[in-house]
Amino acid sequence: MALDEFLAELDQLAEAAAASFASVGDASELEALRVKLLGAKNGQLKGLQKGLARVAAADKPQAGKHFNQTKQRIEDAFALAEQRLESPGTDQAASDFDATEPGLRPRLGHLHPITQTIQELKDIFGRLGFRVAEGPEIEDERHNFEALNIDPSHPARDPLDNFYLHAAGYAADPEAGGPGADVSPWLLRSQTSTVQIRVMENTPPPVRIVSLGRVYRPDTADATHYPMFHQIEGLLVDTDVTMADLKTILRVFCSSYLGEEVEVRFRPSFFPFTEPSVEVDMQWQDGWVEMGGAGMVDPNVFRAVGYDPDQVTGFAFGLGVERLCARRFGITDIRDLFKNDVRFLQQF
Ligand code: DAH
């Protein structure tokens, strides 16, 4: 046997042995591998040793030396593997890996309950034929008040009840006049009724829209109030619209959002932009909760947007989204909706 061939066989075995010992996973595998490679009777190294006899006499010393080195290499690889299995700390990745352990699931996020509510309300009104309209949160007094028939002396315009924005260069002086007299012409909208005006200004009748969004009032936060909240506004204008249509739409809406069994109550009320006006209550637990207002669009509002009140009639409503959401999910304090405590939000 040629010396080169013999040496190459030994090297191959040593390399294969090192790789096998390095990937061995437990003691019984290690022992099986040891017997296979180093076994005194049928081990692979023993098998190669037979080749030594066939090497030319002159090459024997070199061949014998290389054989002993190979044996040592394999025994070292075995010892290393044995040590690794005995003290797992020396090779964490291989020894601690448990292929049967369940993986870590990534946590799925989801929409905020208010966003979920808004989407569902849009959905329900969409099925009732209402298009979604939007308007700005920074408004002028025309859209927030004047065109809605809220005259300058109306208490709703009091600077203390609204977030007026003091535009640069504008000297606001609350002492100088009555409510709303000498304040900035811009404010954060206090109601989504503004969008009624914006839509009617830009579209001829018939109109059938809902608008959902944030509104702002300087209220002290408590279980049912917050300085920022959401409203859903509805407006339907056509010929021969009556109060019966309004009540039907609101009843259908309430039962599809809150369930068949929910009771809805209409109480006579007053809003400058509707005549007649009602307040809309829904039954919750043992009592009634006020959800918002509604009514037949006041002829003055039609005039303000260039509609002819002799040609068209319409109804409008504005409901509190937080209250609907709270009623739906059983939330008793709306402040929880805005604390961003994940433990609370996760529940919905
Ligand atoms: N804008 C009223 C509010 O914020 C709610 C409202 C009442 C809206 C009657 C309407 C309506 O469209 O017809 O208190």
Side-chain angles (χ1 to χ4, degrees), residues 38 45 66-78:
L38 297 168
L45 189 66
H66 202 77
F67 177 85
N68 287 335
Q69 284 169 346
T70 304
K71 186 173 178 212
Q72 191 60 52
R73 276 175 75 187
I74 298 176
E75 282 171 347
D76 288 347
F78 165 76

Side-chain angles (χ1 to χ4, degrees), residues 190-193 196 217 231 233-234 271 273-274 292-295 316-318:
S190 63
Q191 49 185 352
T192 45
S193 305
Q196 293 184 31
R217 293 177 197 178
Q231 288 185 326
E233 190 81 16
F271 297 101
F273 32 90
T274 44
F317 60 86

Side-chain angles (χ1 to χ4, degrees), residues 25-47:
D26 61 35
S28 67
E29 245 183 84
L30 177 67
E31 175 58 10
L33 191 61
R34 189 193 64 77
V35 171
K36 184 175 150 202
L37 291 162
L38 297 168
K41 264 192 175 164
N42 296 316
Q44 288 177 352
L45 189 66
K46 193 81 195 163

Side-chain angles (χ1 to χ4, degrees), residues 178-197:
D182 200 11
V183 290
S184 150
W186 301 101
L187 73 162
L188 296 180
R189 68 180 177 193
S190 63
Q191 49 185 352
T192 45
S193 305
T194 53
V195 186
Q196 293 184 31
I197 303 303

